[in-house]
Amino acid sequence: MRPEALNPLFAEARDLDGVGPKLMKPLEKLGLTRVKDLAYHLPERFVMRRAIANLDEGAEGEQVIVALTPTEHRASRNPGRGPYRVLAQDDAGNICALTYFGRASYSAKKQLPVGEKRWVAGRLDRYGDMLQIVHPDHIEKDSAAHMGRLVEPVYALSEGLTQPKVASLASQALERLPELPEWIEPGQFEREGWPTWRDSLHLAHRDRDEQARDRLAYDELLANSLALLLVKADSRRRKGQALIGGGGMRAKLDLPFEMTGAQKRSIAEIEGDLQQEAPMLRLLQGDVGAGKTVVALAAMLIAVEAGKQAALLAPTEILARQHFETLRKMAAPTGAEVALLTGRAKGREREGILMGLLDGSIDILVGTHAIFQDTVSYRDLGLVVIDEQHRFGVAQRLALAAKGKRAPHTLAMTATPIPRSLTLAQYGEMDVSRLDELPPGRQAIETLVVSQDRAEDVIAGVQRHLATGQQAYWVCPMVREMNGAFQASDIAAAEARYAELRERFGEDVVLVHGQLRPEEKDANMERFANGKAKLLVATTVIEVGVDVPSSTLMVIEQAERFGLAQLHQLRGRVGRGSEKSRCVLLRGSELSETAQKRLALMRETQDGFRIAEEDLELRGGGELLGTRQSGEAAFRIADLDQVQRLLPVAHGDARLLMERDGGLTSERGEAARQLLYLFERDWGVQLLRGG
């Protein structure tokens, strides 16, 4: 149960003064639904303002505070569309326009009565011959109220929120902060000279206080490390079962290729783990096309040789079916029985699978979330393989692990190469195996960067390509807005491109994007995968795991809008057969320096691990830190620099605390429990006996 001391932080934001149903909507868009969220909604930056006696003293682009007297209100000729201007003059007679757009003009009429002096804070700019301040940040009746605003926080907003309103709510949230015990190791706390937790939050809202920000980031990293180490400790504490396979089934595998050194090394590491009673927690990290499936099959066959069952969990139905087909073919000579269970399985088909799992006639089960529903029971589950680990939360993984008579071994797989500095942040509870070699015979993918102006030439090239009987992808960008919704313009752009290509190529074209109904999306993917459709127009929903060997051309539109890791994943959808493959990156005319470097690197290399490291340098890690999409590992406070500087220390501190006080029962241990609840790593506390 959450400690009582934290209850004020988890109170609803609607309990604060001035928050009604109307204001809750924009707050919800930013995820600011509780007092705690507002306290941790730190300013993005701080504005330094200068108080000036008159407009002559101000520079264009400068943030100023100046006394102005409104002389005239001018509404637009097109009410609701054009700007609403209030002409005002300073004490020297200089004129400035205070300009408003949209609904903001309503407040201007009240706040700026003609002939009454007001102190105005905002950015001084010029429009034509006239000075102007667009949407002043503050308007006060006297100067004293403004003098405290010479350094002012600037918060992220959504429509319907203003800086003063968010500042007021943050201030109310800060007033409710309780006194909490210190959870940072005393030596570390002294060395860094950090403020207390409560003081840090106050300071972080007041000024760009690096000490306070570092302390808050460290708290978040410590909570994450501690929770992941609790998962690891819980796994080690559970009574597992040693799986010792005789090798008979693996010897019957008839692979059409020689395994790489990295594959053999990874299988040996996994086999070593499986032979221990403590349940394995290992991450298999491979580049696109590095052959993770073979390694997973070898691991599952070890379990079957030892008389146990294995389950492979995939994030989508398409991926589950793909894995099932691949594994069934590869495992056929071994005699292992492979079955598929997804949400589609109904009636007798489903009953037959459930019976097979219960009586042990099914050795390997492949499926989606359906494989850990309450109604699914195994005779003796020994190994769980989770594909695309970041799409599953720790809580889901624990639910699947509970299916075994004893805790099963867990092998997680990801095709998203992650920089070493971030592996700890995301997979701190796991041992890591890396597949850093591509199978021999894999052809390099030719990568071309082409201007968007030549899109018509590219379409003609696609036509020639399809005429040879091969298939192709055409990917359009899809960007999420802050509230998680997709931008309508991006969906429209994808649908417009699809309509244009369908007019050219007819029934051979299918469309897939995240807003389609799941049945429609699956049916279109199916048509493409079995060759009935030749061209797949898609958004980034295809970036992971789709495997169509006869598709040898990838066109990525507005490639500059994608991150490097995403471009690499998309490119990896081609080059899966013996034919030469190409990837065409269509770019806009105006490229930032970062975008230019990104596209140049894509031409230069296909090494996913190198690309991941470079991506980290270029973008600052935001997307990489968010790759565990279950909402539990994207850091809200810590930025990339802080992760790289502070995470190794936080992880070491968490490990030391676990060694000294694994049950978190000491004074510092109790404080650490509060930290876990504060950052909503509750599942970490639940793993403690009596937690």
Side-chain angles (χ1 to χ4, degrees):
M1 241 175 86
R2 185 167 59 226
E4 269 186 42
L6 297 178
N7 287 345
L9 294 169
F10 285 85
E12 298 286 318
R14 58 171 55 89
D15 295 347
L16 299 173
D17 292 342
V19 180
K22 191 175 173 185
L23 196 61
M24 275 309 295
K25 286 184 179 175
L27 287 173
E28 282 166 3
K29 275 190 178 177
L30 290 173
L32 305 178
T33 57
R34 300 161 304 179
V35 170
K36 173 177 102 79
D37 303 324
L38 284 157
Y40 276 105
H41 188 59
L42 302 183
E44 291 184 319
R45 57 194 170 87
F46 288 84
V47 168
M48 303 291 291
R49 295 196 199 284
R50 191 163 65 91
I52 55 177
N54 60 60
L55 294 165
D56 290 331
E57 293 181 10
E60 285 179 37
E62 187 181 7
Q63 292 283 349
V64 299
I65 297 171
V66 64
L68 297 172
T69 303
T71 58
E72 183 187 348
H73 282 241
R74 283 187 190 171
S76 165
R77 288 175 189 165
N78 299 320
R81 291 195 174 182
Y84 183 94
R85 290 192 172 92
V86 181
L87 299 186
Q89 65 180 31
D90 64 15
D91 292 342
N94 298 307
I95 300 291
C96 177
L98 306 177
T99 307
Y100 295 84
F101 293 91
R103 293 178 185 168
S105 62
Y106 302 151
S107 62
K109 292 167 189 172
K110 287 183 189 173
Q111 291 181 307
L112 294 160
V114 171
E116 293 188 24
K117 185 183 282 192
R118 292 289 184 265
W119 288 81
V120 179
R123 179 185 157 116
L124 188 63
D125 284 307
R126 185 175 290 279
Y127 180 72
D129 294 333
M130 187 176 281
L131 289 169
Q132 73 169 358
I133 296 174
V134 178
H135 289 273
D137 294 324
H138 300 283
I139 296 168
E140 302 287 356
K141 288 183 180 178
D142 62 79
S143 62
H146 265 321
M147 288 308 117
R149 291 206 174 104
L150 294 176
V151 177
E152 190 170 356
V154 178
Y155 295 95
L157 302 176
S158 63
E159 194 178 352
L161 288 174
T162 61
Q163 291 297 340
K165 177 52 74 178
V166 174
S168 160
L169 294 176
S171 175
Q172 288 186 61
L174 293 173
E175 285 168 18
R176 295 181 175 217
L177 295 181
E179 289 286 355
L180 296 178
E182 187 54 71
W183 44 70
I184 295 177
E185 193 271 321
Q188 171 76 3
F189 187 71
E190 289 298 320
R191 267 193 311 279
E192 297 292 346
W194 282 333
T196 64
W197 168 76
R198 197 165 179 271
D199 287 349
S200 293
L201 276 168
H202 278 276
L203 288 166
H205 282 271
R206 200 179 302 154
D207 203 342
R208 184 80 211 182
D209 189 304
E210 297 301 335
Q211 287 283 83
R213 290 241 173 185
D214 273 1
R215 190 253 144 86
L216 295 173
Y218 187 84
D219 289 346
E220 184 174 37
L221 298 170
L222 180 63
N224 195 64
S225 296
L226 194 54
L228 293 178
L229 289 173
L230 283 165
V231 170
K232 191 169 192 170
D234 176 71
S235 178
R236 293 260 162 89
R237 196 166 55 229
R238 285 167 185 256
K239 193 74 173 155
Q241 46 194 342
L243 303 184
I244 299 169
M249 284 183 153
R250 281 169 287 161
K252 293 176 186 171
L253 280 174
D254 185 17
L255 301 175
F257 50 82
E258 174 69 24
M259 280 201 214
T260 64
Q263 284 173 316
K264 290 173 183 172
R265 183 185 68 237
S266 296
I267 291 169
E269 288 168 349
I270 291 164
E271 187 165 17
D273 283 358
L274 294 176
Q275 288 172 355
Q276 311 303 314
E277 271 204 354
M280 170 176 75
L281 263 183
R282 182 169 287 277
L283 174 71
L284 179 62
Q285 202 189 352
D287 199 352
V288 176
K292 294 182 301 299
T293 311
V294 179
V295 177
L297 176 60
M300 291 191 283
L301 288 176
I302 293 170
V304 178
E305 288 168 359
K308 309 296 177 190
Q309 292 164 300
L312 187 149
L313 176 60
T316 65
E317 190 150 322
I318 294 165
L319 269 177
R321 286 183 183 282
Q322 215 164 268
H323 276 310
F324 169 65
E325 294 298 339
T326 306
L327 291 170
R328 193 179 51 161
K329 283 176 197 159
M330 285 167 67
T334 70
E337 185 65 35
V338 184
L340 173 71
L341 179 63
T342 68
R344 276 193 197 175
K346 299 281 186 287
R348 286 187 178 177
E349 181 195 357
R350 181 178 165 81
E351 281 173 28
I353 295 167
L354 295 182
M355 285 303 297
L357 289 172
L358 210 48
D359 65 22
S361 56
I362 292 174
D363 299 307
I364 295 171
L365 180 69
V366 179
T368 54
H369 294 73
I371 73 176
F372 60 81
Q373 289 169 344
D374 291 344
T375 50
V376 180
S377 299
Y378 298 78
R379 184 181 63 80
D380 198 353
L381 181 63
L383 171 66
V384 176
V385 179
I386 303 175
D387 190 24
E388 286 314 316
Q389 159 72 11
H390 63 263
R391 298 191 182 204
F392 297 100
V394 174
Q396 288 170 308
R397 205 178 68 225
L398 296 174
L400 186 56
K403 291 284 179 191
K405 289 179 180 174
R406 292 184 179 181
H409 298 272
T410 303
L411 176 67
M413 305 196 295
T414 177
T416 309
I418 298 163
R420 289 182 189 277
S421 58
L422 297 188
T423 304
L424 195 62
Q426 294 176 278
Y427 303 107
E429 81 278 32
M430 294 185 170
D431 300 309
V432 180
S433 292
R434 277 186 153 204
L435 292 179
D436 45 16
E437 296 172 50
L438 289 183
R442 250 349 249 292
Q443 288 202 43
I445 301 163
E446 185 185 353
T447 303
L448 310 164
V449 179
V450 177
S451 168
Q452 188 81 33
D453 300 340
R454 292 181 53 205
E456 196 49 48
D457 295 343
V458 173
I459 292 172
V462 170
Q463 187 163 13
R464 291 192 296 275
H465 176 83
L466 299 183
T468 66
Q470 296 180 84
Q471 292 171 277
Y473 298 99
W474 188 295
V475 175
C476 302
M478 182 69 89
V479 176
R480 280 185 185 274
E481 292 174 320
M482 280 210 62
N483 64 355
F486 290 107
Q487 288 184 8
S489 58
D490 282 340
I491 297 169
E495 288 176 340
R497 179 62 76 190
Y498 164 68
E500 182 188 347
L501 292 169
R502 192 172 174 88
E503 200 172 305
R504 186 94 161 238
F505 303 120
E507 296 290 313
D508 279 346
V509 189
V510 288
L511 173 69
V512 173
H513 62 65
Q515 303 298 88
L516 288 179
R517 292 196 322 276
E519 320 77 79
E520 195 179 345
K521 192 162 67 177
D522 287 353
N524 288 349
M525 287 294 288
E526 197 91 14
R527 276 195 67 209
F528 184 70
N530 61 29
K532 288 179 181 169
K534 299 295 182 193
L535 177 60
L536 177 67
V537 179
T539 57
T540 50
V541 293
I542 63 158
E543 73 187 74
V544 172
V546 177
D547 189 2
V548 182
S550 60
S551 187
T552 52
L553 174 63
M554 166 69 70
V555 179
I556 303 174
E557 200 161 351
Q558 294 182 55
E560 71 275 9
R561 290 178 63 186
F562 294 90
L564 262 175
Q566 219 176 13
L567 287 172
H568 180 64
Q569 287 294 327
L570 287 165
R571 178 171 61 183
R573 298 309 101 217
V574 297
R576 294 178 162 253
S578 53
E579 297 290 327
K580 174 79 179 162
S581 289
R582 284 183 179 81
C583 176
V584 178
L585 303 175
L586 274 176
R587 60 160 179 82
S589 53
E590 292 180 20
L591 295 186
S592 67
E593 192 182 338
T594 300
Q596 288 174 21
K597 285 181 181 173
R598 228 177 247 165
L599 299 182
L601 190 70
M602 284 295 293
R603 266 204 314 255
E604 193 183 309
T605 184
Q606 286 174 44
D607 178 345
F609 289 99
R610 182 185 161 197
I611 284 173
E613 296 289 350
E614 297 269 358
D615 201 20
L616 189 58
E617 291 299 314
L618 288 174
R619 82 160 64 234
E623 184 173 294
L624 292 162
L625 287 175
T627 49
R628 247 187 184 177
Q629 292 160 347
S630 345
E632 58 190 47
F635 295 121
R636 183 170 179 175
I637 311 300
D639 63 22
L640 178 64
D641 170 64
Q642 289 167 324
V643 169
Q644 292 180 308
R645 277 190 297 113
L646 300 173
L647 181 61
V649 186
H651 196 75
D653 186 13
R655 201 167 55 236
L656 195 63
L657 178 58
M658 288 292 295
E659 284 169 9
R660 291 176 178 171
D661 178 21
L664 300 185
T665 53
S666 65
E667 190 178 337
R668 187 180 169 216
E670 289 290 346
R673 286 181 183 232
Q674 296 209 10
L675 173 70
L676 289 167
Y677 276 108
L678 179 64
F679 282 98
E680 295 174 84
R681 301 298 199 269
D682 301 26
W683 39 265
V685 188
Q686 309 310 327
L687 295 174
L688 290 165
R689 287 173 183 166

